[in-house]
Amino acid sequence: MSLLAAEHPLSTIHDALLLDLDGVVYIGPHAVPAAPEAIDKARAAGARVAFVTNNAGRTPARIAEHLTHLGVDATPQDVVTSAEAAARLISQRHPAGSEVLVVGDTGLRQAVRRMGLKPVTVATDSVVAVVQGYSRNMTRDLLDQGTLAVARGAFYVAANADATAPTEWGTTPANGSFVRVIAHATGVEPVIAGKPMRPLHEEGIRRTGARHPLIVGDRLDTDIEGAIVHGAAGLLVLSGVTTPLDLLAAPEHQRPDYLSWDVSGMNHTHPAVDLLDNGARCGGWTVTLIDGAPALTGSGDRLDGLRALCAAVWAAPTTDPTGPAARAALNRLGW
């Protein structure tokens, strides 16, 4: 698998753009600088845009309000959260009015209620399911109640399994870290609604009516793996948590189709990456494998150099993607 070329801007060849939020549109309270203009431009090109997030803590209305404050036009209908995907999973298994113990925040409770289910916080015998999502105010009591209900046989759903999340302070624990508390205590693994599993992107596709979506994200293990699971195209942006070294070392099921600095890449064409007998070439850069080690030569757009490096390393399973030669090539590109 190698990176793909696009002779036309991606926003003109995909009917819907499913955008991750953290690390793509914003980081904490601040917009990624390119995002507001890029989203306006994609919509002007005719693409439908949905904001698809693994964060289950905030409601779609609250997220849309935050996006609008950052200069990104958004309504609650444009926002698809893992809370909504998780609540739909439970509603497909249990009838309206069923009690669901919510280990999470307002966004998760409201999503459960909108699906016709009854959110509760105590592990009574009538609880049919436990749903867990990220909350900045997670308490020991909620974790205890969730553990008790799961141990009694309640259907266990996690909004997502992200271990960490980027914040303005740095990388901090996310829902997946708290999920391990209940899973470890009960020996029961949850059904995951969020990325990279299918339910969340299915909710985004249902919302936009997409037939040929582009999934845009900053994480290999959620956004890009989720695109591959769905058979959709994936654009990785470097404005969030994934580093060029992470990208080089990505396993086959987490390799993107396209690569860009930030979300503005969805409005650009993408150059061809040519595989050579013993390496790869993109733009003004060539990577040659010498005794299995990548050597980079040339000049030009740094991103083209990274594209060539990825293609060469991915095509050679015996090459060490994090070894000294790969690191030296990245260093030459400024990383």
Side-chain angles (χ1 to χ4, degrees), residues 57-236:
R58 292 190 293 173
T59 65
R62 188 74 179 273
I63 293 171
E65 181 182 2
H66 180 48
L67 288 168
T68 301
H69 176 72
L70 296 178
V72 177
D73 186 31
T75 68
Q77 184 64 17
D78 297 326
V79 180
V80 185
T81 71
S82 61
E84 295 173 294
R88 186 179 294 278
L89 272 178
I90 297 170
S91 73
Q92 291 170 342
R93 184 165 176 154
H94 294 286
S98 296
E99 291 189 4
V100 177
L101 198 154
V102 177
V103 182
D105 220 326
T106 304
L108 193 52
R109 288 193 296 273
Q110 290 193 9
V112 166
R113 191 174 289 112
R114 283 195 299 271
M115 285 293 172
L117 303 163
K118 182 180 179 181
V120 300
T121 56
V122 178
T124 65
D125 290 340
S126 14
V127 168
V128 300
V130 172
V131 62
Q132 185 171 1
Y134 179 70
S135 171
R136 292 285 297 276
N137 302 306
M138 183 66 68
T139 65
R140 170 63 187 266
D141 184 57
L142 272 181
L143 289 170
D144 286 349
Q145 293 300 312
T147 298
L148 290 170
V150 171
R152 290 173 187 161
F155 179 43
Y156 185 24
V157 177
N160 68 78
D162 295 3
T164 62
T167 71
E168 62 268 37
W169 310 289
T171 300
T172 59
N175 190 53
S177 296
F178 294 100
V179 163
R180 300 319 309 158
V181 174
I182 293 179
H184 184 66
T186 62
V188 177
E189 292 296 327
V191 175
I192 306 298
K195 300 174 281 189
M197 308 310 289
R198 295 182 67 90
L200 180 53
H201 281 139
E202 284 177 351
E203 192 74 20
I205 289 169
R206 182 183 295 112
R207 192 80 57 87
T208 58
R211 298 179 65 86
H212 188 41
L214 175 71
I215 293 172
V216 182
D218 69 312
R219 299 183 71 112
L220 298 171
D221 59 344
T222 56
D223 305 306
I224 301 307
E225 185 173 341
I228 291 170
V229 165
H230 236 96
L235 167 65
L236 179 75

Side-chain angles (χ1 to χ4, degrees), residues 5-101:
E7 295 181 356
H8 302 282
L10 298 178
S11 55
T12 67
I13 59 179
H14 293 275
D15 59 353
L17 309 171
L18 306 184
L19 309 183
D20 181 46
L21 286 173
D22 293 318
V24 177
V25 180
Y26 55 64
I27 298 175
H30 304 294
V32 171
E37 181 181 356
I39 292 166
D40 284 346
K41 187 172 182 180
R43 283 172 164 156
R48 297 184 293 279
V49 174
F51 304 100
V52 181
T53 176
N54 261 0
N55 189 330
R58 292 190 293 173
T59 65
R62 188 74 179 273
I63 293 171
E65 181 182 2
H66 180 48
L67 288 168
T68 301
H69 176 72
L70 296 178
V72 177
D73 186 31
T75 68
Q77 184 64 17
D78 297 326
V79 180
V80 185
T81 71
S82 61
E84 295 173 294
R88 186 179 294 278
L89 272 178
I90 297 170
S91 73
Q92 291 170 342
R93 184 165 176 154
H94 294 286
S98 296
E99 291 189 4
V100 177
L101 198 154

Side-chain angles (χ1 to χ4, degrees), residues 270-292:
H270 288 254
V273 182
D274 299 317
L275 285 173
L276 309 175
D277 288 340
N278 196 33
R281 179 174 54 240
C282 183
W285 297 96
T286 299
V287 176
T288 304
L289 297 178
I290 301 173
D291 295 327

Side-chain angles (χ1 to χ4, degrees), residues 1-7 10 214 220 224 228 233-238 244 247-248 250-252 254-261 269-275 279-283 287 302-315 333 335:
M1 177 180 176
S2 186
L3 293 161
L4 301 181
E7 295 181 356
L10 298 178
L214 175 71
L220 298 171
I224 301 307
I228 291 170
L235 167 65
L236 179 75
V237 299
L238 296 177
L247 179 61
L248 271 188
E252 189 170 355
Q254 293 180 359
R255 294 172 184 170
D257 297 294
Y258 304 103
L259 176 66
S260 68
W261 293 109
T269 60
H270 288 254
V273 182
D274 299 317
L275 285 173
R281 179 174 54 240
C282 183
V287 176
R302 294 167 61 207
L303 211 55
D304 286 348
L306 180 57
R307 290 180 174 112
L309 189 58
C310 285
V313 168
W314 293 349
L333 291 170
W335 284 294

